[in-house]
Each structure stands twice: as structure tokens, then as C-alpha cells.
Amino acid sequence: MASNVPKERTVAGLGEVWASLGGLLGGLSDDEWKLPTPLPGWSVHDNVAHIVGTEAMLAGEPGPSLEIDRDAHAHVRNDIGVFNEQWVESLRAVPPSELLARFRELTAARLATLETMSDDEWNAESFTPAGKDSFGRFMQIRVFDCWLHEQDIRDAVGRPGHESGLAVDIVLDEMATALGFVVGKKAGAVAGQSVTFSLTDGGSVVRELHVEVGERAAVVPALSGPATVVLTMPVGVMTRRCAGRVDPDDLLDQVVIDGDLALASKILENQSYTI
């Protein structure tokens, strides 16, 4: 069944993350655009080129016809990676000011298109990076992807920010869709076990995500009993670990474990799931 993703909220989330990213990029020096980010092989410039390329594709622009040698790019692991690298390579020589102008032009046009899209178009079946689903789900994934790249850039230039708000709420909605897979398939939790991810803003809890294992592991609104293990961590730690931006052993000093240590260890070792 295709996902029913709310249109107005999701489009607003895209607008928020693009505005935040545009403001961040507008304050960077040309040298900062060259800095490496947590994504192997990509600079700040490359991250922006990737976002520009994807939005250009969604706007109907033909993609660049470049050959990408996977053996020469260790971070290119699949066909989506090849597509991404084609855009990044084709835009690599574009000066930062021009790429930023292109980013602003494209995202403004994309917002205008999305705001006038009909409900039927929004809910229609579409290709997404997670397989066939609704076009709305694809746009939810776009919020997730663009926000993660914003955080990649913030980490690279040492300017933390935008770790709360509507876009972050949508990021966690999208991340929740994979937690059953992480807990059940990757970590091997068995029937009867359950997990709560308790996410904080560095102090108070801002979101709890629950996974219960029956015939399969699934995200649920609330657990039927006490959690086998509760993993408490800041939102930024959760997102960076799930997105594979850090090694499994990194940021563990910011994770509090309450309950089954063996299950907790398996989850934390297998938390990364993005392609």
C-alpha cells in the first residue's frame, strides 16, 4: 500500500530545510565550500551539487551523460550512487556563487510546483529511493535527504544548527519507517522483544519511537509492555548513526542504555541503514 504523506506539512518542511541550507551556504567562504564532509569523497560543494542535481531531475531536466568508474569511486556502490555522482562531477567546476544561485532558483521553482500539485498527483504511485511508493513519500524522503546533507555541511564547517523544527520532525517520521528493519532484520531481535528509541534535544525527550517484535519487527505507537531496552540519545546522534555518517563506535558516549545490553549492542552495531 502506498504511503499517505500529508502534502502541506511536507512541502512546508522542504521549504524550511531549503531556506536553512540557503542561509548557511550564503555565509560560507569559497575555501569552506572545498572542505570534506562526513560523506566519503564529497566536499561541501559536492553535497550542494547532489541536491541541485536531484531537484533538476525532478524538474524534468535531462541528466548529464558521464561515465562513472565505480572502481575509482569507493563511495559509489549502486545505480543511485552512479546517478548522484554524474551530477556531482558535472557541476564540480561551477563556482560556489553560481551553484548557490542555481540552488536557490531550482528550489524556489520546485516549491511553486509542489504547492500547486493536486492531491491525485501527490498521492500517485512513483519511483522513490525506497522503491515504489507515493510521490508524497518521495518528497518526505527529500526532506530527510536534504536535511542530512545540511547537517553534513554544518559538521564540515563547524556551524551546528537546525536540529529542531518541522523538517526534523519529518526526518524522524521517515527514519521511523526503517527502524523495524534495523531492529528485526539487521540486529536480529526476536519475537517478544521490544525497543524504545528515546530522542532528546540534549536535555528533555522530544520524541519516542517504539519497535515491537511479533511475527516481524514493526514500529508501533506504544509498546504493549515494558521495553526490552531503551536507547536514549540526542536527535543528532540518532540521525548521524542511522545515516552512517559515523562509525558504529562513534558517539556511543552520548547513548544511554537501559535494559538488555546484548540487544542494545546488536542494534547499535547495525544502526546504519541508508544506501
Side-chain angles (χ1 to χ4, degrees):
M1 175 182 288
S3 302
N4 184 12
V5 174
K7 174 176 177 282
E8 184 175 344
R9 177 175 182 266
T10 306
V11 174
L14 275 171
E16 179 188 297
V17 71
W18 287 338
S20 179
L21 184 50
L24 170 66
L25 295 172
L28 300 184
S29 67
D30 284 1
D31 284 342
E32 286 176 310
W33 280 74
K34 299 173 185 176
L35 291 173
T37 68
L39 280 173
W42 278 10
S43 65
V44 169
H45 188 288
D46 296 336
N47 276 263
V48 181
H50 161 58
I51 295 172
V52 166
T54 302
E55 294 308 320
M57 179 271 290
L58 289 167
E61 295 185 22
S65 55
L66 295 175
E67 290 292 329
I68 299 297
D69 182 359
R70 294 192 189 189
D71 292 336
H73 299 80
H75 57 285
V76 177
R77 300 189 296 270
N78 49 45
D79 290 342
I80 292 178
V82 170
F83 166 82
N84 292 339
E85 202 66 26
Q86 286 174 326
W87 277 104
V88 168
E89 186 64 35
S90 71
L91 294 169
R92 189 161 275 144
V94 176
S97 60
E98 292 182 23
L99 189 61
L100 178 55
R102 182 72 174 124
F103 166 82
R104 287 175 168 156
E105 173 191 1
L106 260 175
T107 54
R110 289 285 300 136
L111 278 179
T113 297
L114 292 170
E115 286 166 353
T116 59
M117 180 175 283
S118 70
D119 289 343
D120 285 345
E121 291 172 312
W122 180 262
N123 294 317
E125 185 179 89
S126 170
F127 162 83
T128 85
K132 286 188 177 181
D133 206 327
S134 66
F135 182 80
R137 171 75 189 290
F138 195 171
M139 294 305 99
Q140 177 172 282
I141 294 171
R142 290 304 299 141
V143 178
F144 173 83
D145 190 59
C146 292
W147 182 85
L148 284 174
H149 289 299
E150 178 189 351
Q151 296 305 310
D152 290 335
I153 293 168
R154 288 186 179 279
D155 287 350
V157 301
R159 301 191 190 186
H162 198 200
E163 292 202 353
S164 63
L166 175 60
V168 181
D169 290 341
I170 295 170
V171 167
L172 295 179
D173 290 344
E174 176 56 35
M175 190 167 286
T177 66
L179 292 183
F181 168 72
V182 169
V183 171
K185 186 71 172 179
K186 295 197 70 183
V190 299
Q193 292 185 316
S194 59
V195 182
T196 292
F197 295 89
S198 184
L199 308 180
T200 74
D201 59 4
S204 58
V205 175
V206 295
R207 186 81 169 265
E208 287 189 336
L209 299 171
H210 308 285
V211 180
E212 201 159 58
V213 186
E215 292 185 4
R216 56 187 292 273
V219 175
V220 294
L223 298 179
S224 58
T228 307
V229 65
V230 178
L231 298 171
T232 302
M233 66 191 84
V235 168
V237 172
M238 177 75 169
T239 54
R240 284 164 176 76
R241 289 184 58 81
C242 285
R245 271 26 181 200
V246 296
D247 290 333
D249 290 339
D250 289 348
L251 304 180
L252 286 179
D253 59 332
Q254 298 183 58
V255 179
V256 177
I257 301 170
D258 182 12
D260 189 319
L261 293 178
L263 178 58
S265 178
K266 290 178 182 177
I267 293 168
L268 294 169
E269 288 171 5
N270 293 280
Q271 205 169 349
S272 173
Y273 70 86
T274 58
I275 58 176

